[in-house]
Amino acid sequence: MKKSLFAMAAILGLALTSCSSDDNNKNENTSTFVLKVDDLQGNINDGVVTLDPTKTYTLTGGLVVKGGATLVIPAGTVIKSSATALSTSLFIAVERNAKININGTAAKPVVMTSGKATPAQSDWGGLIIAGNAKVNTGDNGTSEVGSLSYGGNDNADSSGNINFLRISYTGSKYTAEKEYNGVSFFGVGSGTVVSDIYTFESGDDGIEFFGGAVNASNLVIINSYDDSLDFADGWQGTATNVYIKGVTKAGVEGSTNAKDPSGAVPMTNAKIVNISIIKGDAAFTADEKAINYKEGGGKQAYTNLFVADGMPKDLTKLSADAGATANIAAGNFTITNYTFGASVTAFDGVKLSGTTTGALGAGAGADLPTWANWTK
């Protein structure tokens, strides 16, 4: 399929209906295309395309929502990556000034997964979203995968909404330094609503924020090959209710800027509220610790942190660059209210305060919290 979805719609005679949307973007009286084919590839150039939740779609190549267009994915929709296509060619990308509305529910989440008979990490790319919010690497960056332009000065920018998304077997790799994550947010603004994402078996990071000001809540990140939750490049957001299990490198990796860890502005200002970090089985080494404070680190404030027994004795891995050293000295790396397992005994670099008992992290300590029961 080499044509855009809109060209395909014209060929196949897809239905055009007038509707009033009640999603988080409030696009009222918008004409909506209802897609009637079962494979996805190409560009959505304009208008609103709505997938059919009664179908299982096959992602046969890159699907790109171009600026000015909107892709709506209703509750219960299933998208599987091609079992035969090159894994790095399989991704869903949302450009600046485009929107994606993933309208899953707890009972009927949207599912993006591998189409292989025996699925594994890196079977396909993942979901990439670009926005117009501030990034400290410049106002017109290019995403390392998908080649999307991102960044700007609109921290309130909206790229749509993600609600109840199950995304698995992502993270295909071009090289050791260039790979997809489960979900990547590049310069995405706070007008984007993000809640209830479950990433499973990512071949790189589970979820990563590259600058921007988007907030996210109710994140379940299981068995990521690299870091589970990652943020960099001046992210100004809050992540609330984060359950991490199966840590290969770091539970959380946070940095401010790789090339200018001392002076890049805005400096990362991340708030992580209610978070549990569990190493998982013996295959998951957590060799970059529960928190990897990296490349300047920036401001990182953790509230209600639970780190399970079995994690490495060092809570943190600390960068030795001048920016990170200065931020640690300034008290910009903090944890308020925490419970650490018996294996965790060293707390270098971080300023601890508040209660040392009763902090249950995402809600139930090492156990899956009730708000995440939909992921079972």
Side-chain angles (χ1 to χ4, degrees), residues 159 165 326 343 367:
S159 297
L165 170 64
S343 63
D367 296 328

Side-chain angles (χ1 to χ4, degrees), residues 193-217:
V193 176
V194 178
S195 70
D196 296 282
I197 299 177
Y198 171 33
T199 75
F200 179 69
E201 292 284 352
S202 171
D204 194 54
D205 300 337
I207 298 173
E208 184 161 7
F209 301 96
F210 297 86
V214 63
N215 303 307
S217 61

Side-chain angles (χ1 to χ4, degrees), residues 107-317:
K108 294 182 177 181
V110 168
V111 175
M112 299 178 182
T113 190
S114 169
K116 292 188 176 180
T118 305
Q121 289 180 350
S122 304
D123 277 354
W124 67 290
L127 175 61
I128 310 158
I129 303 175
N132 292 293
K134 192 68 178 176
V135 181
N136 69 20
T137 53
D139 292 347
N140 287 289
T142 302
S143 62
E144 65 179 5
V145 291
S147 298
L148 274 65
S149 296
Y150 68 96
N153 291 289
D154 184 6
N155 272 4
D157 186 36
S158 174
S159 297
N161 64 269
I162 301 176
N163 298 106
F164 291 99
L165 170 64
R166 182 193 301 264
I167 183 167
S168 53
Y169 305 111
T170 55
S172 61
K173 304 177 188 296
Y174 289 95
T175 68
E177 301 300 322
K178 185 179 180 181
E179 57 266 312
Y180 295 88
N181 301 308
V183 184
S184 300
F185 296 91
F186 288 90
V188 174
S190 62
T192 310
V193 176
V194 178
S195 70
D196 296 282
I197 299 177
Y198 171 33
T199 75
F200 179 69
E201 292 284 352
S202 171
D204 194 54
D205 300 337
I207 298 173
E208 184 161 7
F209 301 96
F210 297 86
V214 63
N215 303 307
S217 61
N218 296 0
L219 308 177
V220 177
I221 307 172
I222 307 294
N223 293 2
S224 297
Y225 172 76
D226 194 0
D227 309 309
S228 298
L229 177 67
D230 199 337
F231 50 84
D233 301 343
W235 181 51
Q236 305 291 298
T238 299
T240 305
N241 297 340
V242 182
Y243 182 81
I244 292 168
K245 187 174 182 179
V247 181
T248 303
K249 293 189 178 177
V252 179
E253 180 173 280
S255 61
T256 190
N257 186 287
K259 293 184 178 179
D260 186 6
S262 297
V265 293
M267 183 169 66
T268 290
N269 188 358
K271 300 176 180 65
I272 314 297
V273 181
N274 306 335
I275 175 171
S276 295
I277 301 175
I278 303 98
K279 182 170 77 71
D281 65 29
F284 299 98
T285 59
D287 59 0
E288 291 182 353
K289 320 308 178 188
I291 303 171
N292 183 7
Y293 190 83
K294 186 179 178 183
E295 296 166 346
K299 293 182 179 180
Q300 297 185 30
Y302 298 80
T303 303
N304 189 11
L305 169 65
F306 177 93
V307 178
D309 191 26
M311 287 292 288
K313 72 178 183 65
D314 293 304
L315 177 71
T316 62
K317 180 181 179 181

